[in-house]
PDB file of all heavy atoms in Angstrom:
ATOM      1  N   CYS A 276       7.255 -19.945 -16.244  1.00  0.00           N
ATOM      2  CA  CYS A 276       8.726 -20.255 -16.089  1.00  0.00           C
ATOM      3  C   CYS A 276       9.393 -19.441 -17.158  1.00  0.00           C
ATOM      4  O   CYS A 276       8.783 -18.845 -18.051  1.00  0.00           O
ATOM      5  CB  CYS A 276       8.973 -21.744 -16.281  1.00  0.00           C
ATOM      6  SG  CYS A 276       8.899 -22.231 -18.033  1.00  0.00           S
ATOM      7  N   PRO A 277      10.773 -19.214 -17.096  1.00  0.00           N
ATOM      8  CA  PRO A 277      11.371 -18.373 -18.103  1.00  0.00           C
ATOM      9  C   PRO A 277      11.562 -19.075 -19.512  1.00  0.00           C
ATOM     10  O   PRO A 277      11.857 -18.380 -20.378  1.00  0.00           O
ATOM     11  CB  PRO A 277      12.757 -18.059 -17.457  1.00  0.00           C
ATOM     12  CG  PRO A 277      13.018 -19.307 -16.490  1.00  0.00           C
ATOM     13  CD  PRO A 277      11.632 -19.624 -16.004  1.00  0.00           C
ATOM     14  N   GLY A 278      11.344 -20.354 -19.444  1.00  0.00           N
ATOM     15  CA  GLY A 278      11.650 -21.087 -20.687  1.00  0.00           C
ATOM     16  C   GLY A 278      13.105 -21.464 -20.827  1.00  0.00           C
ATOM     17  O   GLY A 278      13.976 -20.827 -20.175  1.00  0.00           O
ATOM     18  N   CYS A 279      13.383 -22.575 -21.555  1.00  0.00           N
ATOM     19  CA  CYS A 279      14.793 -22.854 -21.724  1.00  0.00           C
ATOM     20  C   CYS A 279      14.750 -23.844 -22.976  1.00  0.00           C
ATOM     21  O   CYS A 279      13.845 -23.890 -23.683  1.00  0.00           O
ATOM     22  CB  CYS A 279      15.352 -23.607 -20.554  1.00  0.00           C
ATOM     23  SG  CYS A 279      14.559 -25.219 -20.181  1.00  0.00           S
ATOM     24  N   GLY A 280      15.911 -24.590 -23.143  1.00  0.00           N
ATOM     25  CA  GLY A 280      15.967 -25.470 -24.319  1.00  0.00           C
ATOM     26  C   GLY A 280      14.953 -26.516 -24.439  1.00  0.00           C
ATOM     27  O   GLY A 280      14.668 -27.119 -25.422  1.00  0.00           O
ATOM     28  N   ARG A 281      14.316 -26.786 -23.298  1.00  0.00           N
ATOM     29  CA  ARG A 281      13.277 -27.852 -23.297  1.00  0.00           C
ATOM     30  C   ARG A 281      11.864 -27.325 -23.843  1.00  0.00           C
ATOM     31  O   ARG A 281      10.967 -28.186 -24.004  1.00  0.00           O
ATOM     32  CB  ARG A 281      12.994 -28.341 -21.934  1.00  0.00           C
ATOM     33  CG  ARG A 281      14.068 -29.094 -21.241  1.00  0.00           C
ATOM     34  CD  ARG A 281      13.693 -29.580 -19.911  1.00  0.00           C
ATOM     35  NE  ARG A 281      14.824 -30.076 -19.144  1.00  0.00           N
ATOM     36  CZ  ARG A 281      15.249 -31.357 -19.137  1.00  0.00           C
ATOM     37  NH1 ARG A 281      14.647 -32.207 -20.020  1.00  0.00           N
ATOM     38  NH2 ARG A 281      16.253 -31.833 -18.409  1.00  0.00           N
ATOM     39  N   THR A 282      11.774 -26.025 -23.887  1.00  0.00           N
ATOM     40  CA  THR A 282      10.414 -25.445 -24.309  1.00  0.00           C
ATOM     41  C   THR A 282      10.145 -25.729 -25.767  1.00  0.00           C
ATOM     42  O   THR A 282      11.039 -25.374 -26.636  1.00  0.00           O
ATOM     43  CB  THR A 282      10.464 -23.922 -24.030  1.00  0.00           C
ATOM     44  OG1 THR A 282      10.949 -23.644 -22.782  1.00  0.00           O
ATOM     45  CG2 THR A 282       9.050 -23.304 -24.181  1.00  0.00           C
ATOM     46  N   LEU A 286       6.112 -19.898 -25.604  1.00  0.00           N
ATOM     47  CA  LEU A 286       5.824 -19.601 -24.201  1.00  0.00           C
ATOM     48  C   LEU A 286       5.620 -18.179 -23.902  1.00  0.00           C
ATOM     49  O   LEU A 286       4.638 -17.914 -23.203  1.00  0.00           O
ATOM     50  CB  LEU A 286       7.089 -20.107 -23.462  1.00  0.00           C
ATOM     51  CG  LEU A 286       7.066 -19.939 -21.937  1.00  0.00           C
ATOM     52  CD1 LEU A 286       5.944 -20.803 -21.263  1.00  0.00           C
ATOM     53  CD2 LEU A 286       8.394 -20.344 -21.251  1.00  0.00           C
ATOM     54  N   MET A 308       3.851 -23.296 -18.145  1.00  0.00           N
ATOM     55  CA  MET A 308       5.221 -23.863 -18.033  1.00  0.00           C
ATOM     56  C   MET A 308       5.673 -24.484 -19.371  1.00  0.00           C
ATOM     57  O   MET A 308       4.859 -24.983 -20.093  1.00  0.00           O
ATOM     58  CB  MET A 308       5.205 -24.960 -16.977  1.00  0.00           C
ATOM     59  CG  MET A 308       4.544 -24.568 -15.592  1.00  0.00           C
ATOM     60  SD  MET A 308       5.398 -23.198 -14.857  1.00  0.00           S
ATOM     61  CE  MET A 308       6.729 -24.057 -13.972  1.00  0.00           C
ATOM     62  N   GLY A 309       6.953 -24.358 -19.541  1.00  0.00           N
ATOM     63  CA  GLY A 309       7.560 -24.630 -20.848  1.00  0.00           C
ATOM     64  C   GLY A 309       7.603 -26.191 -21.091  1.00  0.00           C
ATOM     65  O   GLY A 309       7.427 -26.557 -22.166  1.00  0.00           O
ATOM     66  N   CYS A 310       7.835 -27.030 -20.088  1.00  0.00           N
ATOM     67  CA  CYS A 310       7.951 -28.464 -20.366  1.00  0.00           C
ATOM     68  C   CYS A 310       7.340 -29.283 -19.237  1.00  0.00           C
ATOM     69  O   CYS A 310       7.181 -28.904 -18.137  1.00  0.00           O
ATOM     70  CB  CYS A 310       9.422 -28.713 -20.517  1.00  0.00           C
ATOM     71  SG  CYS A 310      10.328 -28.872 -18.924  1.00  0.00           S
ATOM     72  N   ASN A 313       9.911 -30.526 -15.867  1.00  0.00           N
ATOM     73  CA  ASN A 313       9.952 -29.827 -14.600  1.00  0.00           C
ATOM     74  C   ASN A 313       8.681 -29.026 -14.294  1.00  0.00           C
ATOM     75  O   ASN A 313       8.489 -28.586 -13.138  1.00  0.00           O
ATOM     76  CB  ASN A 313      11.100 -28.864 -14.549  1.00  0.00           C
ATOM     77  CG  ASN A 313      12.446 -29.612 -14.560  1.00  0.00           C
ATOM     78  OD1 ASN A 313      12.503 -30.665 -13.997  1.00  0.00           O
ATOM     79  ND2 ASN A 313      13.410 -29.099 -15.270  1.00  0.00           N
ATOM     80  N   GLY A 314       7.937 -28.646 -15.308  1.00  0.00           N
ATOM     81  CA  GLY A 314       6.667 -27.838 -15.188  1.00  0.00           C
ATOM     82  C   GLY A 314       5.788 -28.215 -14.073  1.00  0.00           C
ATOM     83  O   GLY A 314       5.524 -27.507 -13.118  1.00  0.00           O
ATOM     84  N   GLU A 317       7.131 -27.707 -10.523  1.00  0.00           N
ATOM     85  CA  GLU A 317       7.363 -26.219 -10.171  1.00  0.00           C
ATOM     86  C   GLU A 317       6.135 -25.443 -10.045  1.00  0.00           C
ATOM     87  O   GLU A 317       6.097 -24.387  -9.560  1.00  0.00           O
ATOM     88  CB  GLU A 317       8.135 -25.604 -11.307  1.00  0.00           C
ATOM     89  CG  GLU A 317       9.510 -26.198 -11.642  1.00  0.00           C
ATOM     90  CD  GLU A 317      10.580 -26.029 -10.539  1.00  0.00           C
ATOM     91  OE1 GLU A 317      10.362 -25.079  -9.739  1.00  0.00           O
ATOM     92  OE2 GLU A 317      11.494 -26.810 -10.466  1.00  0.00           O
TER      93      GLU A 317
HETATM   94  S1  SF4 B 401       9.859 -25.663 -16.639  1.00  0.00           S
HETATM   95 FE1  SF4 B 401      10.858 -26.803 -18.246  1.00  0.00          FE
HETATM   96  S2  SF4 B 401      10.847 -25.256 -19.991  1.00  0.00           S
HETATM   97 FE2  SF4 B 401      10.506 -24.073 -18.103  1.00  0.00          FE
HETATM   98  S3  SF4 B 401      12.445 -23.428 -17.402  1.00  0.00           S
HETATM   99 FE3  SF4 B 401      12.032 -25.323 -16.350  1.00  0.00          FE
HETATM  100  S4  SF4 B 401      12.978 -26.884 -17.557  1.00  0.00           S
HETATM  101 FE4  SF4 B 401      12.788 -25.064 -18.885  1.00  0.00          FE
END
Side-chain angles (χ1 to χ4, degrees):
C276 78
C279 68
R281 293 183 191 274
T282 313
L286 179 63
M308 308 301 276
C310 79
N313 292 325
E317 301 287 343

